[in-house]
Amino acid sequence: MKKFKGKILCLDRSDINTDEIIPAKYLTEIEKRAMGPHLLEDLTLEGFDVQKDLKDIAAIVTRENFGCGSSREHAPWALEVNGVFVVIAQSFARIFRQNMFNCGMLAIALPKEQIEHLFECCKIGDSFLSVDLETATIQVTSQDKHFTLPFTISEFDKTLVETGGWLEYADANY
Amino acid sequence: MGKTIAQKIFEAHLVDEPFGDVCVLKLDRVFCHEITTPTAIQDLVARGKDRVFDPDKIKAVIDHVTPAKDSKTALQGKILRQWAKRHGIKDFFDIGNNGVCHAIFPEKGFVRPGFTIIMGDSHTCTHGAFGAFAAGVGTTDLEVGILKGVASFKLPETFKIEIKGTLQAGVYAKDIILEVIRQISVDGATNMVIEFVGNVVAEMTMDQRMTLSNMAVEAGATSGICLPDMTTVTYLWPFIQQEYESPEAALADYTRFSSDADAVYAKTKTIDVSQLEPLTTFGYKPDNVRPVSQMAGTHVDQVYIGSCTNGRIEDLRVAAQVLKGKKIKATVRGIVSPATPKIFSMALEEGLIKIFMDAGFCVTNPTCGACLGMSNGVLADGEVAAATTNRNFNGRMGRGGMVHLMSPATAAATAVQGEITNSYLFVN
């Protein structure tokens, strides 16, 4: 099982699509690691610097409908090869969300107030999280503040994360 | 309590409910193309599981970049080609016979009412036009589909959208779906199936229904379903006449997969399209929609007519009707891409290709190409396209480019004027 722990990158916009996460011109690549240098390359967002802001991140916090558009699993792969195994958003597009769990990664939906709270922390300074799947909680550390956010995850999604993904699960069961 | 078509299809295909809310479904079709399938193939090979669940239920095409534009796309084609050959996948469409997946697969009769279909392509929802549950998935879902013939979905709720009224001249299925997306927004149907009903849908041809269902995903929907009727049967008849005594018998069978009158819907909406004007997008989201009249005069550098949304024969006829006897503006690059070889051939026979060429359009082979900025008409930074495609995302047709989505009629009129223009100014 992957580890869900590390620095948070906040992307303050709704409807970030998979073309923005990984542009179509890189879909000619067959190896996942080829996506690495191109994560969020085409994202235009005030205050976001693709050259600097991706350094050492392990999680993304964002708004509504993250991952809409193309079904490309290259988007979760681009996150995965950059060490980003968890995305927290107010809501997700269906295919992206399913792709994340299929890859054994986490797409966690939280209510607006909690997303807002995370954004406030990120504004103040570097923030870090650690996800505990057993207790379904997110421990957040921001400057001198520590707090815990509960989240909901279905048994199925949890099983996918624990087994490594849908292929592993389906191969064992069907 | 009655059931929706989606519920009935799920019940008929249910293999397992491992965790209550998750349905593992048996698949009738797994469609494949050369962009999202090779990685699945490579992974299956690496795992020592290079097998397919049923070569007759898998259909494959090279469509996104064809002919190959470089060594990498050539390799993607090669991997798919060799895989199809070694597993005996007979329905594999390669150069000379290939077309845009969501146009060629229906055209070959591969889609039937009540089917479950997945593909590693978000616009797989197009096939819902036939009363199928068809959903776009990622590569892992595709890989499991290829290997095991199953896919997992949560039982989707249904959003019933009734389209009623009488369309004005110059208004088409594309304008209707843009209006739907404008009203419900880009995530208005997330995790839901849209069921399109109403007199306007009932009167639509299959080509028009496919345009409607195609963009259901732009409102977040898992699939966009039109209920099977005699129009569906008539389209499919050449492929099913050995199975049924009569079209009526086929329809009676297919209406097993029709929503009950007392089916329960999560949401319903009625849209009267009688006053609807031709529409186009502004901005970078498919729900940024305005009447063409409000966008009139917007300069465009390129007009693209094609794609899984609007590259079918009826689309080309409509565009050619606008273009007949006219020249496109010298400042505009016109590109038309018939979506399949059959459509191309029909367009040739009907004289449409000559109309496009005489007007100054470049006619390309069938391919997805420019729609997602991969080949055959990528935009330069700062350029503007009028396109009959489905996504106006920032950089979609090329980094720094702007895309305005519209119907083939509006796109043709726009090509003539060199700026966004209503088609009814050109057609008597």
Side-chain angles (χ1 to χ4, degrees):
Chain A
M1 192 173 82
K2 292 183 163 63
K3 297 248 182 299
F4 307 100
K5 191 174 178 176
K7 191 175 162 191
I8 301 170
L9 168 68
C10 282
L11 298 176
D12 195 0
R13 209 196 82 197
S14 290
D15 307 311
I16 291 175
N17 63 61
T18 52
D19 275 76
E20 290 171 304
I21 300 170
I22 183 81
K25 62 187 171 193
Y26 303 116
L27 302 187
T28 60
E29 301 290 349
I30 292 169
E31 300 295 330
K32 290 182 187 181
R33 63 178 176 276
M35 308 296 141
H38 308 297
L39 176 64
L40 295 168
E41 190 176 278
D42 276 2
L43 180 66
T44 316
L45 184 62
E46 202 183 319
F48 173 68
D49 183 342
V50 74
Q51 303 298 333
K52 293 179 189 162
D53 295 350
L54 298 180
K55 198 171 180 307
D56 300 328
I57 61 164
I60 286 174
V61 172
T62 183
R63 301 282 182 183
E64 292 176 82
N65 199 30
F66 187 77
C68 58
S70 161
S71 65
R72 64 189 68 160
E73 201 161 306
H74 307 67
W77 296 338
L79 294 168
E80 186 179 11
V81 297
N82 280 283
V84 180
F85 302 152
V86 53
V87 179
I88 299 173
Q90 201 178 319
S91 63
F92 292 94
R94 177 192 63 89
I95 304 174
F96 176 84
R97 184 192 172 285
Q98 185 147 335
N99 286 344
M100 286 291 282
F101 285 102
N102 281 349
C103 292
M105 303 200 284
L106 280 170
I108 299 173
L110 289 181
K112 190 178 180 187
E113 307 74 52
Q114 296 185 353
I115 293 290
E116 206 62 62
H117 190 185
L118 287 168
F119 271 100
E120 289 304 317
C121 293
C122 286
K123 270 182 200 158
I124 296 163
D126 285 352
S127 300
F128 301 83
L129 62 69
S130 174
V131 179
D132 184 340
L133 206 55
E134 271 317 300
T135 57
T137 53
I138 308 163
Q139 317 290 331
V140 183
T141 304
S142 180
Q143 308 302 308
D144 53 355
K145 281 197 296 187
H146 303 276
F147 59 95
T148 302
L149 297 171
F151 66 95
T152 53
I153 182 167
S154 73
E155 277 305 305
F156 180 59
D157 289 339
K158 191 177 163 189
T159 305
L160 292 183
V161 175
E162 285 168 349
T163 53
W166 170 233
L167 191 91
E168 287 74 6
Y169 181 85
D171 197 33
N173 290 279
Y174 302 107
Chain B
M1 198 169 70
K3 290 171 184 158
T4 63
I5 182 170
Q7 287 171 324
K8 290 182 182 182
I9 295 173
F10 268 54
E11 275 184 14
H13 292 81
L14 194 63
V15 174
D16 188 18
E17 287 178 287
F19 297 94
D21 63 337
V22 177
C23 305
V24 177
L25 303 181
K26 181 169 73 72
L27 296 170
D28 295 305
R29 291 283 182 265
V30 176
F31 291 155
C32 301
H33 64 53
E34 89 282 14
I35 296 296
T36 52
T37 316
T39 320
I41 296 169
Q42 301 281 69
D43 191 59
L44 287 170
V45 170
R47 291 171 187 263
K49 296 181 187 297
D50 181 24
R51 303 187 294 272
V52 302
F53 84 107
D54 184 342
D56 293 336
K57 290 181 177 168
I58 297 176
K59 315 290 177 186
V61 64
I62 295 175
D63 64 353
H64 273 56
V65 186
T66 179
K69 64 172 180 171
D70 54 21
S71 304
K72 286 178 178 174
T73 50
L75 177 60
Q76 288 179 310
K78 184 180 174 184
I79 292 170
L80 194 70
R81 190 177 295 120
Q82 291 182 336
W83 170 77
K85 191 174 180 200
R86 73 175 174 269
H87 293 293
I89 296 165
K90 294 187 298 293
D91 293 314
F92 168 61
F93 302 95
D94 205 340
I95 198 152
N97 299 302
N98 57 354
V100 175
C101 52
H102 307 309
I104 200 165
F105 291 146
E107 183 186 284
K108 296 285 179 185
F110 296 154
V111 183
R112 305 289 162 78
F115 267 16
T116 49
I117 303 169
I118 62 163
M119 182 172 194
D121 191 287
S122 60
H123 292 107
T124 306
C125 51
T126 309
H127 308 284
F130 290 82
F133 175 77
V137 296
T139 291
T140 301
D141 274 324
L142 179 72
E143 194 172 333
V144 170
I146 288 168
L147 184 64
K148 301 283 180 178
V150 299
S152 77
F153 290 95
K154 285 189 179 151
L155 180 64
E157 294 183 311
T158 298
F159 192 156
K160 180 160 93 169
I161 298 181
E162 182 191 8
I163 313 289
K164 69 170 192 180
T166 308
L167 286 177
Q168 299 186 72
V171 183
Y172 298 89
K174 181 61 160 285
D175 301 297
I176 296 173
I177 190 62
L178 288 173
E179 175 65 10
V180 168
I181 299 164
R182 184 188 75 79
Q183 289 201 21
I184 72 174
S185 91
V186 288
D187 60 354
T190 297
N191 296 321
M192 285 190 259
V193 162
I194 297 178
E195 195 177 300
F196 294 108
V197 299
N199 73 291
V200 176
V201 182
E203 290 157 18
M204 280 183 178
T205 63
M206 289 313 298
D207 278 13
Q208 293 163 349
R209 290 181 193 178
M210 283 190 264
T211 299
L212 199 61
S213 292
N214 173 271
M215 288 187 69
V217 70
E218 309 312 333
T222 306
S223 198
I225 299 184
C226 302
L227 303 176
D229 60 9
M230 201 39 101
T231 302
T232 323
V233 171
T234 304
Y235 183 101
L236 290 174
W237 188 243
F239 309 103
I240 61 172
Q241 51 188 327
Q242 305 300 323
E243 296 171 40
Y244 296 101
E245 276 183 13
S246 64
E248 289 72 24
L251 183 60
D253 186 29
Y254 291 151
T255 44
R256 285 183 293 137
F257 298 106
S258 212
S259 296
D260 296 326
D262 57 344
V264 178
Y265 294 94
K267 283 186 180 177
T268 57
K269 187 171 205 46
T270 299
I271 300 175
D272 188 327
V273 292
S274 300
Q275 302 302 316
L276 193 67
E277 292 183 44
L279 300 176
T280 184
T281 58
F282 63 97
Y284 297 123
K285 293 199 305 169
D287 60 359
N288 294 156
V289 173
R290 280 185 190 144
V292 168
S293 55
Q294 287 182 22
M295 294 290 286
T298 305
H299 167 83
V300 304
D301 300 291
Q302 180 171 302
V303 171
Y304 182 79
I305 298 174
S307 86
C308 57
T309 316
N310 280 125
R312 297 185 183 80
I313 190 66
E314 291 177 21
D315 301 316
L316 302 191
R317 285 176 189 147
V318 164
Q321 193 191 355
V322 174
L323 291 169
K324 193 169 186 179
K326 300 184 187 69
K327 296 276 183 203
I328 63 172
K329 195 87 169 178
T331 51
V332 171
R333 306 186 298 270
I335 300 170
V336 57
S337 183
T340 69
K342 185 182 174 188
I343 293 165
F344 200 130
S345 180
M346 287 172 79
L348 264 176
E349 284 167 19
E350 294 178 22
L352 310 182
I353 297 295
K354 181 161 171 46
I355 293 172
F356 281 111
M357 294 185 75
D358 287 350
F361 265 78
C362 160
V363 185
T364 82
N365 64 299
T367 178
C368 309
C371 170
L372 71 166
M374 289 195 84
S375 63
N376 278 25
V378 180
L379 299 177
D381 189 19
E383 288 190 330
V384 179
T388 67
T389 57
N390 41 54
R391 290 201 170 119
N392 55 338
F393 295 162
N394 192 359
R396 172 75 177 180
M397 289 183 80
R399 190 170 194 174
M402 166 64 86
V403 181
H404 298 287
L405 306 176
M406 57 184 67
S407 74
T410 308
T414 297
V416 173
Q417 282 303 84
E419 52 191 39
I420 293 178
T421 306
N422 258 324
S423 68
Y424 54 68
L425 299 174
F426 290 82
V427 181
N428 297 324

